[in-house]
Amino acid sequence: MKVIDIMTTIRHRKGIKVTEVAEDHLTQEKNVKPDGRVRSVYTGGKLWKRLSLTVGGTVAISLGLLTSVYVATLHENDLWFSNIKEVEREISFRTECGLYYSYYKEMLQATSIQQGLHDLIYDNKTESLRTINILERMNVYQEVFLSILYRILPIQKYLEPVYFYIYTLFGLQALYVIALYVTSWLLSGTWLSGLLAAFWYITNRIDTTRVEFTIPLRENWALPFFAVQIAAITYLFRSHLQPLHEKLTLLAVFISTFLFSLTWQFNQFMMLMQALVLFILDCLDMLPTTKVTWLYIIQLTGILLVCVLQFFNSMILGSLLISFNVSVLLARTVQKNMKMGCLLNRLVKLFFHVLMVLCLTLLVNNFIKKILNLESDEHIFKFLKAKFGFGATRDFDANLYLCEEAFGLLPFNTFARLSDTLLFYAYLFVLLLMAIAAAVVAFQNLSGSANVQSMDKMEISTIVLKPGATYNLMHTILFGCLALSTMRMKYLWTSHMCVFASFGLCSTEVWGFVLKSVRLYTPQRLCVIRYLVPIIILLYLSCKFCPGMVDELSELREFYDPDTVELMNWIKSNTPKKAVIAGSMQLLAGVKLCTGRILTNHPHYEDKSLRERTKQVYQVYAKRSPEDVYSILRSFGTNYVILEDSICYERRHSRGCRLRDLLDIANGHVMDGLGENEPDLKASLYPRFCEEIKKNLSSYSMYFTRVFQNKTFHVYKLAKHK
């Protein structure tokens, strides 16, 4: 052991990190027999390793495929998808899902691939009186790719287009589960950890995915690639990688980053969080700087390539991600000796480094936005400002987000469901241990005390000194904060929660730390508890949840929405193909998919002019005169307007969050019903349009003629001239 101590001292003088020393020491310990002789590398060890890889890989692929079959079966059973009509299948793609799927359908119906691409680049059906580039505005390259693939493959006789589409997305769930499995395996060193992660993902399906009922949603395309990226980054941070392996891993990170960015419009916010993870850990000297630099460059390259493919989308160029990464790389060149000196010296340098990066980020971002005259993302900052209590707002778009449950705080009952599978308890246990150890190691790194600590102390903190584990720890903390503040983002956290908790329960470092703390450590006890605890949890999950999952698979339902079906059939049969139709964003996405008619507005809310247009169209639910509403609708070329009773008489939201309330506040009018109003709000001179138009008064009938009605919808045709 004296030889090892001498080698440790020499390496410290050369500037080798404690991480590498600890790992070298542990590796040498494994290869030394109790009598002091070096253990020879024997064929049996290699054979066992290959057998473990084969079995673990087979289990991973099997679980991924089973998950795909499981969610596909749930989707079929819930809607009886194989037996309902085509219009019902399309209506089942609700809200923005229908809009995205409509471009897949449009590409297939085009006379050629070239014509289909031309129609997307010069689209004049999605927004009336405007020609927009769909490939620039929306992340629909996946629909384009799938449609081309379907056209060139000899499968048209055997597989309907809709099945090719949904099976692809269910297939991506297999990739998702395999990536989670591999990440946990890489962190813990045993594929049993991956098995537990996959089981937790499936048994917590309500909180880890919603693919079976929102199939075309962008996150269902993107999250599998994000999981692959995390697995690749985890492998990249392993020490002593061979140059070829490192290059291949960097390539895998780049490809997965690019595909993730290409398939989801919220990619820039997710990768900004990831960049913050890298920045924090790099400042604390807990990750290898060279690899972190490569990851910054990969993020920049990937998102800029997406920007090019999206015809230089200005919202991407003006993203905080690009400004932040550029600022970090610039600040590094200025502050080269930031990681040297005593604790106080390093803290001062770190403070100025963080300040410099933040100031540079704001300067670069404001500079880009002024040059591009970019205002597409202003509604997001208004929403965040109001959400976190920096002042109330009457902005219609910000309030529309604030009132949606998906953008609210994570409901408390989520933790009850996660606790029922023991996931939340295991997660908190592992998180607490690693967070404490990480804080200790961060302090040691900043103070320089790590260079003089004994080997015994290094073994206690080995758990967080491994860069892969450190990265996943900070990743789960930041994405957990994001999920807690915004429910829609919980799927990023809960899936990684499965990985993190299973890794900790199968980790030699975690259990070694626990056993040493209570003075019960022996290698035999460590081995037993490391495998026994996950096996017990797996048995518990199997006994408690498998019967329910089997019952769920046998439960049959059927899609039923006769009013919407009747509306779509009426529009197809009774309106011209070039008719312009106004209505709610959610409904119009279905109108475009089912009928191909021209829309006034739609659910893809990332354009300022579209947001303003939507607010104007929604005046049909406000207290406005028939003349005003008619003028507004005609300014967008509207021929027909669809009114929905579910919006006009909405009860889903409480007072102040109903759509009609948001419109009243934005228009400066008092809200309906009992309750307080802001003192400067005034009573409107006109009644609510959507209610008054049904009375068939002459002041309304001269502009609007009712042409269709059922229990849910009312369609009015606009007079051609006043």
Side-chain angles (χ1 to χ4, degrees):
M1 292 302 294
K2 290 183 178 180
V3 176
I4 296 174
D5 291 338
I6 294 171
M7 291 174 63
T8 302
T9 305
I10 294 172
R11 290 187 179 189
H12 282 162
R13 289 173 182 171
K14 289 183 178 180
I16 302 296
K17 290 185 181 179
V18 179
T19 306
E20 296 171 357
V21 177
E23 289 183 356
D24 287 346
H25 171 62
L26 291 173
T27 303
Q28 290 183 50
E29 277 192 332
K30 291 177 183 177
N31 291 326
V32 176
K33 294 182 179 181
D35 58 4
R37 291 178 297 174
V38 178
R39 180 187 291 124
S40 60
V41 179
Y42 57 98
T43 309
K46 289 184 178 180
L47 190 61
W48 175 253
K49 186 177 180 180
R50 288 175 184 173
L51 180 63
S52 178
L53 285 172
T54 303
V55 173
T58 304
V59 172
I61 294 170
S62 301
L63 281 172
L65 294 175
L66 282 173
T67 304
S68 294
V69 173
Y70 176 55
V71 293
T73 306
L74 289 177
H75 174 259
E76 168 64 26
N77 291 355
D78 190 49
L79 300 175
W80 204 13
F81 200 74
S82 59
N83 283 273
I84 58 179
K85 299 176 183 177
E86 184 67 22
V87 65
E88 292 175 312
R89 289 178 180 176
E90 293 178 345
I91 291 171
S92 71
F93 297 137
R94 303 285 187 181
T95 64
E96 60 184 296
C97 298
L99 182 68
Y100 297 131
Y101 183 78
S102 72
Y103 299 117
Y104 171 73
K105 180 180 176 181
E106 189 175 323
M107 280 291 295
L108 290 177
Q109 291 177 342
T111 54
S112 65
I113 294 173
Q114 292 79 3
Q115 184 61 45
L117 290 171
H118 180 273
D119 291 343
L120 290 182
I121 295 172
Y122 301 97
D123 179 274
N124 53 19
K125 292 183 178 181
T126 304
E127 296 176 19
S128 58
L129 304 182
R130 292 182 68 186
T131 298
I132 63 173
N133 186 341
I134 299 298
L135 296 181
E136 175 192 355
R137 285 269 296 275
M138 304 181 198
N139 298 71
V140 295
Y141 269 101
Q142 50 267 49
E143 277 76 22
V144 172
F145 173 75
L146 270 194
S147 63
I148 293 173
L149 202 59
Y150 184 80
R151 293 178 74 132
I152 62 176
L153 292 176
I155 57 175
Q156 289 87 349
K157 293 181 180 179
Y158 315 104
L159 195 64
E160 295 177 59
V162 66
Y163 280 108
F164 183 66
Y165 186 90
I166 66 174
Y167 286 167
T168 299
L169 273 151
F170 292 144
L172 279 176
Q173 282 295 297
L175 179 66
Y176 197 3
V177 170
I178 292 170
L180 298 176
Y181 182 107
V182 169
T183 305
S184 187
W185 186 358
L186 287 170
L187 288 168
S188 66
T190 171
W191 58 263
L192 182 63
S193 170
L195 179 61
L196 181 57
F199 258 71
W200 262 330
Y201 177 83
I202 296 168
T203 52
N204 290 283
R205 176 181 54 83
I206 294 174
D207 295 300
T208 55
T209 182
R210 49 179 173 167
V211 67
E212 74 272 17
F213 59 90
T214 58
I215 299 173
L217 209 60
R218 302 299 83 178
E219 68 186 48
N220 295 329
W221 284 98
L223 292 185
F225 298 121
F226 193 54
V228 170
Q229 187 220 40
I230 294 170
I233 289 174
T234 301
Y235 185 76
L236 177 68
F237 283 137
R238 301 186 102 179
S239 60
H240 310 303
L241 276 184
Q242 294 180 10
L244 178 61
H245 291 171
E246 185 171 312
K247 290 177 182 177
L248 291 174
T249 307
L250 286 170
L251 179 62
V253 173
F254 171 75
I255 292 172
S256 54
T257 301
F258 167 70
L259 292 175
F260 169 70
S261 303
L262 189 66
T263 51
W264 198 12
Q265 69 268 29
F266 289 154
N267 64 76
Q268 53 184 286
F269 306 108
M270 304 307 103
M271 289 208 294
L272 178 62
M273 297 290 288
Q274 191 177 61
L276 285 171
V277 170
L278 297 171
F279 178 70
I280 293 168
L281 294 177
D282 185 38
C283 287
L284 298 175
D285 204 19
M286 300 177 81
L287 292 179
T289 301
T290 304
K291 292 180 180 179
V292 170
T293 304
W294 272 112
L295 291 176
Y296 284 137
I297 294 171
I298 285 173
Q299 278 194 339
L300 276 173
T301 308
I303 200 165
L304 287 174
L305 182 56
V306 170
C307 183
V308 172
L309 287 175
Q310 289 192 254
F311 296 81
F312 297 94
N313 185 309
S314 59
M315 192 171 176
I316 296 177
L317 290 172
S319 67
L320 280 172
L321 173 68
I322 290 178
S323 304
F324 179 79
N325 282 13
V326 168
S327 300
V328 170
L329 295 174
L330 286 174
R332 267 194 184 169
T333 60
V334 176
Q335 293 179 298
K336 293 183 179 179
N337 299 322
M338 187 184 67
K339 297 181 181 180
M340 297 179 65
C342 63
L343 176 62
L344 183 61
N345 194 4
R346 287 194 64 171
L347 286 176
V348 171
K349 289 179 180 179
L350 185 60
F351 172 77
F352 282 108
H353 180 68
V354 172
L355 188 64
M356 179 185 292
V357 169
L358 291 177
C359 291
L360 273 174
T361 300
L362 293 175
L363 286 172
V364 171
N365 192 252
N366 286 329
F367 178 71
I368 293 173
K369 286 184 175 179
K370 283 186 178 180
I371 289 179
L372 300 176
N373 193 26
L374 180 63
E375 297 177 319
S376 296
D377 58 354
E378 63 177 3
H379 65 299
I380 297 174
F381 294 104
K382 288 179 181 177
F383 158 71
L384 292 174
K385 182 180 176 181
K387 182 179 177 67
F388 294 110
F390 295 104
T393 180
R394 290 184 179 176
D395 183 75
F396 175 77
D397 302 317
N399 283 327
L400 203 60
Y401 280 109
L402 287 169
C403 288
E404 281 299 320
E405 185 182 2
F407 292 94
L409 299 177
L410 188 66
F412 191 74
N413 60 12
T414 305
F415 302 109
R417 290 193 299 270
L418 295 174
S419 300
D420 199 33
T421 62
L422 304 181
L423 171 60
F424 191 58
Y425 298 130
Y427 176 76
L428 287 181
F429 168 72
V430 177
L431 182 65
L432 180 64
L433 285 177
M434 292 194 66
I436 292 171
V440 172
V441 174
F443 177 77
Q444 290 172 347
N445 287 348
L446 290 175
S447 63
S449 60
N451 291 340
V452 295
Q453 66 179 339
S454 67
M455 189 63 72
D456 292 335
K457 290 182 179 178
M458 276 194 292
E459 286 184 25
I460 294 175
S461 57
T462 302
I463 174 176
V464 293
L465 287 174
K466 289 184 177 179
T470 308
Y471 168 79
N472 280 274
L473 169 65
M474 188 56 64
H475 178 102
T476 199
I477 290 173
L478 287 196
F479 280 85
C481 293
L482 180 64
L484 291 171
S485 65
T486 308
M487 189 188 78
R488 186 176 178 182
M489 299 303 172
K490 74 173 180 178
Y491 302 100
L492 287 155
W493 184 42
T494 50
S495 59
H496 191 264
M497 191 186 288
C498 301
V499 170
F500 194 75
S502 61
F503 140 66
L505 294 185
C506 295
S507 169
T508 55
E509 291 86 359
V510 169
W511 288 117
F513 177 79
V514 172
L515 291 172
K516 286 176 182 178
S517 300
V518 295
R519 301 184 181 278
L520 292 174
Y521 178 82
T522 65
Q524 293 78 14
R525 284 176 183 157
L526 175 63
C527 186
V528 169
I529 198 170
R530 179 192 180 199
Y531 291 107
L532 185 61
V533 170
I535 288 173
I536 290 173
I537 294 176
L538 285 168
L539 290 173
Y540 166 78
L541 295 175
S542 301
C543 294
K544 183 171 182 179
F545 294 99
C546 284
M549 293 168 67
V550 172
D551 291 340
E552 192 178 26
L553 289 172
S554 61
E555 187 177 349
L556 302 178
R557 299 186 185 91
E558 184 178 355
F559 177 84
Y560 185 75
D561 190 355
D563 289 350
T564 307
V565 171
E566 185 184 11
L567 172 67
M568 298 303 171
N569 287 333
W570 182 87
I571 292 173
K572 288 178 72 174
S573 303
N574 296 277
T575 63
K577 290 185 177 180
K578 293 187 177 181
V580 177
I581 299 179
S584 68
M585 296 184 290
Q586 295 81 0
L587 180 63
L588 289 185
V591 169
K592 184 180 189 306
L593 172 57
C594 298
T595 71
R597 300 304 186 261
I598 302 172
L599 313 180
T600 54
N601 53 303
H602 55 81
H604 195 271
Y605 218 51
E606 313 306 323
D607 179 77
K608 184 181 180 182
S609 61
L610 175 65
R611 292 195 297 272
E612 182 58 34
R613 177 184 280 224
T614 298
K615 179 183 173 183
Q616 291 301 311
V617 169
Y618 277 2
Q619 296 302 312
V620 296
Y621 298 108
K623 298 170 182 175
R624 299 291 292 268
S625 69
E627 294 86 357
D628 287 346
V629 173
Y630 178 84
S631 297
I632 290 169
L633 294 178
R634 286 300 297 170
S635 69
F636 302 129
T638 307
N639 303 120
Y640 299 87
V641 59
I642 306 172
L643 299 180
E644 301 171 61
D645 286 347
S646 59
I647 298 178
C648 190
Y649 307 106
E650 182 183 359
R651 294 183 179 87
R652 185 169 67 94
H653 291 103
S654 59
R655 184 177 184 270
C657 266
R658 299 169 299 190
L659 180 61
R660 60 180 186 267
D661 297 335
L662 302 184
L663 290 164
D664 289 341
I665 293 170
N667 292 339
H669 298 153
V670 295
M671 295 181 288
D672 295 336
L674 299 175
E676 296 182 358
N677 287 284
E678 294 292 331
D680 60 329
L681 296 178
K682 299 178 180 179
S684 174
L685 298 174
Y686 304 98
R688 194 166 303 283
F689 178 85
C690 63
E691 296 177 1
E692 200 70 9
I693 193 174
K694 295 173 186 176
K695 298 178 181 178
N696 203 27
L697 301 174
S698 59
S699 57
Y700 287 81
S701 60
M702 66 183 295
Y703 299 108
F704 304 94
T705 304
R706 186 162 58 196
V707 291
F708 174 84
Q709 177 186 1
N710 63 21
K711 290 183 291 184
T712 305
F713 304 105
H714 303 261
V715 181
Y716 292 87
K717 184 177 181 180
L718 276 68
K720 291 186 178 180
H721 305 284
K722 289 187 180 181

Short mmCIF file of all heavy atoms in Angstrom, two decimals, residues 201-232:
data_model
loop_
_atom_site.label_atom_id
_atom_site.label_comp_id
_atom_site.label_asym_id
_atom_site.label_seq_id
_atom_site.Cartn_x
_atom_site.Cartn_y
_atom_site.Cartn_z
N TYR A 201 -40.27 2.76 -14.78
CA TYR A 201 -40.82 3.58 -15.86
C TYR A 201 -42.20 3.07 -16.28
O TYR A 201 -43.13 3.86 -16.49
CB TYR A 201 -39.86 3.55 -17.06
CG TYR A 201 -40.37 4.32 -18.26
CD1 TYR A 201 -40.19 5.70 -18.35
CD2 TYR A 201 -41.04 3.67 -19.30
CE1 TYR A 201 -40.66 6.41 -19.46
CE2 TYR A 201 -41.50 4.37 -20.40
CZ TYR A 201 -41.31 5.73 -20.47
OH TYR A 201 -41.79 6.44 -21.56
N ILE A 202 -42.34 1.76 -16.40
CA ILE A 202 -43.61 1.17 -16.86
C ILE A 202 -44.68 1.27 -15.79
O ILE A 202 -45.83 1.63 -16.07
CB ILE A 202 -43.38 -0.29 -17.29
CG1 ILE A 202 -42.42 -0.35 -18.49
CG2 ILE A 202 -44.71 -0.96 -17.64
CD1 ILE A 202 -41.90 -1.74 -18.80
N THR A 203 -44.33 0.95 -14.53
CA THR A 203 -45.35 0.97 -13.47
C THR A 203 -45.79 2.39 -13.11
O THR A 203 -46.87 2.57 -12.55
CB THR A 203 -44.84 0.25 -12.21
OG1 THR A 203 -43.57 0.80 -11.83
CG2 THR A 203 -44.68 -1.23 -12.45
N ASN A 204 -44.97 3.37 -13.44
CA ASN A 204 -45.34 4.78 -13.21
C ASN A 204 -45.73 5.46 -14.53
O ASN A 204 -45.54 6.67 -14.68
CB ASN A 204 -44.17 5.53 -12.56
CG ASN A 204 -43.93 5.11 -11.14
OD1 ASN A 204 -44.63 5.50 -10.22
ND2 ASN A 204 -42.90 4.29 -10.95
N ARG A 205 -46.30 4.69 -15.45
CA ARG A 205 -46.60 5.18 -16.80
C ARG A 205 -47.40 6.48 -16.80
O ARG A 205 -47.17 7.37 -17.63
CB ARG A 205 -47.37 4.10 -17.57
CG ARG A 205 -47.84 4.51 -18.95
CD ARG A 205 -48.60 3.39 -19.61
NE ARG A 205 -49.70 2.91 -18.79
CZ ARG A 205 -50.90 3.48 -18.73
NH1 ARG A 205 -51.14 4.57 -19.43
NH2 ARG A 205 -51.85 2.98 -17.96
N ILE A 206 -48.33 6.65 -15.88
CA ILE A 206 -49.16 7.85 -15.84
C ILE A 206 -48.31 9.11 -15.69
O ILE A 206 -48.64 10.17 -16.24
CB ILE A 206 -50.17 7.76 -14.68
CG1 ILE A 206 -51.17 6.63 -14.94
CG2 ILE A 206 -50.91 9.08 -14.48
CD1 ILE A 206 -52.12 6.38 -13.78
N ASP A 207 -47.19 8.98 -14.99
CA ASP A 207 -46.35 10.14 -14.73
C ASP A 207 -45.05 10.17 -15.54
O ASP A 207 -44.30 11.15 -15.46
CB ASP A 207 -45.99 10.18 -13.23
CG ASP A 207 -47.21 10.41 -12.36
OD1 ASP A 207 -47.86 11.45 -12.53
OD2 ASP A 207 -47.53 9.53 -11.54
N THR A 208 -44.77 9.12 -16.30
CA THR A 208 -43.53 9.10 -17.08
C THR A 208 -43.75 9.30 -18.58
O THR A 208 -42.82 9.68 -19.30
CB THR A 208 -42.76 7.77 -16.88
OG1 THR A 208 -43.63 6.67 -17.18
CG2 THR A 208 -42.27 7.65 -15.45
N THR A 209 -44.97 9.05 -19.06
CA THR A 209 -45.24 9.25 -20.50
C THR A 209 -46.74 9.40 -20.72
O THR A 209 -47.55 8.95 -19.91
CB THR A 209 -44.73 8.05 -21.32
OG1 THR A 209 -44.97 8.31 -22.71
CG2 THR A 209 -45.42 6.76 -20.93
N ARG A 210 -47.08 10.06 -21.80
CA ARG A 210 -48.49 10.16 -22.21
C ARG A 210 -48.63 9.83 -23.70
O ARG A 210 -49.52 10.32 -24.38
CB ARG A 210 -49.05 11.54 -21.90
CG ARG A 210 -48.19 12.71 -22.36
CD ARG A 210 -48.84 14.03 -22.02
NE ARG A 210 -47.95 15.14 -22.33
CZ ARG A 210 -48.34 16.41 -22.37
NH1 ARG A 210 -49.60 16.72 -22.14
NH2 ARG A 210 -47.50 17.37 -22.65
N VAL A 211 -47.73 8.99 -24.17
CA VAL A 211 -47.66 8.72 -25.60
C VAL A 211 -48.91 8.03 -26.13
O VAL A 211 -49.30 8.24 -27.28
CB VAL A 211 -46.40 7.88 -25.94
CG1 VAL A 211 -46.49 6.48 -25.34
CG2 VAL A 211 -46.18 7.79 -27.45
N GLU A 212 -49.57 7.20 -25.31
CA GLU A 212 -50.69 6.41 -25.83
C GLU A 212 -51.91 7.24 -26.16
O GLU A 212 -52.79 6.80 -26.91
CB GLU A 212 -51.05 5.27 -24.86
CG GLU A 212 -51.79 5.70 -23.61
CD GLU A 212 -50.85 6.07 -22.49
OE1 GLU A 212 -49.66 6.30 -22.76
OE2 GLU A 212 -51.31 6.13 -21.34
N PHE A 213 -52.01 8.48 -25.62
CA PHE A 213 -53.18 9.30 -25.95
C PHE A 213 -52.82 10.67 -26.55
O PHE A 213 -53.71 11.44 -26.89
CB PHE A 213 -54.10 9.47 -24.73
CG PHE A 213 -53.45 10.12 -23.54
CD1 PHE A 213 -53.48 11.49 -23.37
CD2 PHE A 213 -52.82 9.36 -22.58
CE1 PHE A 213 -52.90 12.09 -22.28
CE2 PHE A 213 -52.23 9.94 -21.46
CZ PHE A 213 -52.27 11.31 -21.32
N THR A 214 -51.55 10.98 -26.67
CA THR A 214 -51.11 12.20 -27.37
C THR A 214 -49.99 11.83 -28.33
O THR A 214 -48.90 12.40 -28.27
CB THR A 214 -50.63 13.28 -26.38
OG1 THR A 214 -49.54 12.73 -25.62
CG2 THR A 214 -51.74 13.72 -25.45
N ILE A 215 -50.26 10.91 -29.22
CA ILE A 215 -49.19 10.29 -30.02
C ILE A 215 -48.31 11.29 -30.77
O ILE A 215 -47.09 11.27 -30.63
CB ILE A 215 -49.79 9.25 -30.99
CG1 ILE A 215 -50.50 8.15 -30.19
CG2 ILE A 215 -48.71 8.63 -31.86
CD1 ILE A 215 -51.26 7.17 -31.04
N PRO A 216 -48.87 12.21 -31.59
CA PRO A 216 -47.99 13.07 -32.39
C PRO A 216 -47.34 14.22 -31.64
O PRO A 216 -46.63 15.01 -32.25
CB PRO A 216 -48.95 13.63 -33.46
CG PRO A 216 -50.18 12.80 -33.40
CD PRO A 216 -50.28 12.37 -31.98
N LEU A 217 -47.57 14.33 -30.33
CA LEU A 217 -46.99 15.44 -29.58
C LEU A 217 -45.48 15.46 -29.73
O LEU A 217 -44.83 14.41 -29.73
CB LEU A 217 -47.37 15.30 -28.10
CG LEU A 217 -47.48 16.59 -27.29
CD1 LEU A 217 -48.54 17.52 -27.86
CD2 LEU A 217 -47.78 16.28 -25.84
N ARG A 218 -44.91 16.66 -29.85
CA ARG A 218 -43.47 16.78 -30.14
C ARG A 218 -42.60 16.10 -29.09
O ARG A 218 -41.55 15.55 -29.42
CB ARG A 218 -43.07 18.26 -30.24
CG ARG A 218 -43.83 19.08 -31.29
CD ARG A 218 -43.65 18.57 -32.69
NE ARG A 218 -44.54 17.47 -33.02
CZ ARG A 218 -44.59 16.89 -34.20
NH1 ARG A 218 -43.78 17.28 -35.17
NH2 ARG A 218 -45.42 15.90 -34.43
N GLU A 219 -43.00 16.14 -27.83
CA GLU A 219 -42.16 15.55 -26.79
C GLU A 219 -42.04 14.04 -26.94
O GLU A 219 -41.03 13.44 -26.55
CB GLU A 219 -42.70 15.88 -25.40
CG GLU A 219 -44.02 15.23 -25.08
CD GLU A 219 -44.60 15.72 -23.76
OE1 GLU A 219 -44.63 16.94 -23.54
OE2 GLU A 219 -45.02 14.88 -22.97
N ASN A 220 -43.06 13.39 -27.52
CA ASN A 220 -43.00 11.94 -27.72
C ASN A 220 -41.98 11.57 -28.79
O ASN A 220 -41.45 10.46 -28.79
CB ASN A 220 -44.38 11.41 -28.09
CG ASN A 220 -45.37 11.56 -26.97
OD1 ASN A 220 -45.01 11.51 -25.80
ND2 ASN A 220 -46.63 11.80 -27.31
N TRP A 221 -41.71 12.49 -29.70
CA TRP A 221 -40.63 12.30 -30.67
C TRP A 221 -39.28 12.59 -30.04
O TRP A 221 -38.29 11.90 -30.29
CB TRP A 221 -40.82 13.24 -31.86
CG TRP A 221 -41.88 12.84 -32.83
CD1 TRP A 221 -43.16 13.30 -32.88
CD2 TRP A 221 -41.76 11.90 -33.90
NE1 TRP A 221 -43.84 12.71 -33.92
CE2 TRP A 221 -43.00 11.85 -34.56
CE3 TRP A 221 -40.71 11.09 -34.36
CZ2 TRP A 221 -43.23 11.02 -35.66
CZ3 TRP A 221 -40.94 10.27 -35.46
CH2 TRP A 221 -42.19 10.24 -36.09
N ALA A 222 -39.22 13.64 -29.22
CA ALA A 222 -37.93 14.17 -28.78
C ALA A 222 -37.33 13.45 -27.58
O ALA A 222 -36.11 13.24 -27.53
CB ALA A 222 -38.10 15.67 -28.45
N LEU A 223 -38.15 13.08 -26.59
CA LEU A 223 -37.61 12.55 -25.34
C LEU A 223 -36.80 11.26 -25.50
O LEU A 223 -35.82 11.07 -24.78
CB LEU A 223 -38.73 12.36 -24.32
CG LEU A 223 -39.36 13.66 -23.80
CD1 LEU A 223 -40.38 13.37 -22.71
CD2 LEU A 223 -38.29 14.62 -23.28
N PRO A 224 -37.17 10.34 -26.41
CA PRO A 224 -36.29 9.18 -26.61
C PRO A 224 -34.87 9.57 -27.03
O PRO A 224 -33.89 8.98 -26.56
CB PRO A 224 -37.01 8.38 -27.71
CG PRO A 224 -38.45 8.74 -27.54
CD PRO A 224 -38.44 10.18 -27.15
N PHE A 225 -34.74 10.56 -27.90
CA PHE A 225 -33.41 11.01 -28.33
C PHE A 225 -32.68 11.71 -27.19
O PHE A 225 -31.46 11.62 -27.07
CB PHE A 225 -33.53 11.94 -29.54
CG PHE A 225 -34.15 11.28 -30.75
CD1 PHE A 225 -35.30 11.79 -31.32
CD2 PHE A 225 -33.59 10.15 -31.31
CE1 PHE A 225 -35.88 11.19 -32.42
CE2 PHE A 225 -34.16 9.52 -32.41
CZ PHE A 225 -35.32 10.05 -32.97
N PHE A 226 -33.43 12.41 -26.35
CA PHE A 226 -32.83 13.06 -25.19
C PHE A 226 -32.28 12.02 -24.22
O PHE A 226 -31.20 12.19 -23.65
CB PHE A 226 -33.88 13.94 -24.50
CG PHE A 226 -33.31 14.89 -23.48
CD1 PHE A 226 -32.29 15.77 -23.82
CD2 PHE A 226 -33.80 14.93 -22.19
CE1 PHE A 226 -31.77 16.66 -22.89
CE2 PHE A 226 -33.29 15.81 -21.25
CZ PHE A 226 -32.28 16.67 -21.60
N ALA A 227 -33.03 10.93 -24.04
CA ALA A 227 -32.56 9.84 -23.18
C ALA A 227 -31.30 9.19 -23.74
O ALA A 227 -30.38 8.84 -22.99
CB ALA A 227 -33.67 8.80 -23.00
N VAL A 228 -31.23 9.03 -25.06
CA VAL A 228 -30.03 8.49 -25.70
C VAL A 228 -28.85 9.43 -25.48
O VAL A 228 -27.72 9.00 -25.20
CB VAL A 228 -30.27 8.27 -27.21
CG1 VAL A 228 -28.97 7.94 -27.93
CG2 VAL A 228 -31.30 7.17 -27.44
N GLN A 229 -29.11 10.73 -25.57
CA GLN A 229 -28.05 11.71 -25.36
C GLN A 229 -27.49 11.63 -23.93
O GLN A 229 -26.28 11.67 -23.72
CB GLN A 229 -28.59 13.13 -25.62
CG GLN A 229 -27.51 14.20 -25.59
CD GLN A 229 -28.00 15.46 -24.91
OE1 GLN A 229 -28.71 15.41 -23.91
NE2 GLN A 229 -27.61 16.61 -25.45
N ILE A 230 -28.38 11.49 -22.95
CA ILE A 230 -27.93 11.39 -21.55
C ILE A 230 -27.10 10.13 -21.35
O ILE A 230 -26.08 10.14 -20.65
CB ILE A 230 -29.15 11.41 -20.60
CG1 ILE A 230 -29.85 12.77 -20.67
CG2 ILE A 230 -28.72 11.12 -19.16
CD1 ILE A 230 -31.17 12.80 -19.96
N ALA A 231 -27.53 9.02 -21.97
CA ALA A 231 -26.75 7.78 -21.87
C ALA A 231 -25.36 7.96 -22.48
O ALA A 231 -24.36 7.52 -21.90
CB ALA A 231 -27.50 6.65 -22.57
N ALA A 232 -25.30 8.63 -23.63
CA ALA A 232 -24.01 8.85 -24.29
C ALA A 232 -23.11 9.77 -23.46
O ALA A 232 -21.90 9.55 -23.34
CB ALA A 232 -24.23 9.44 -25.68
#
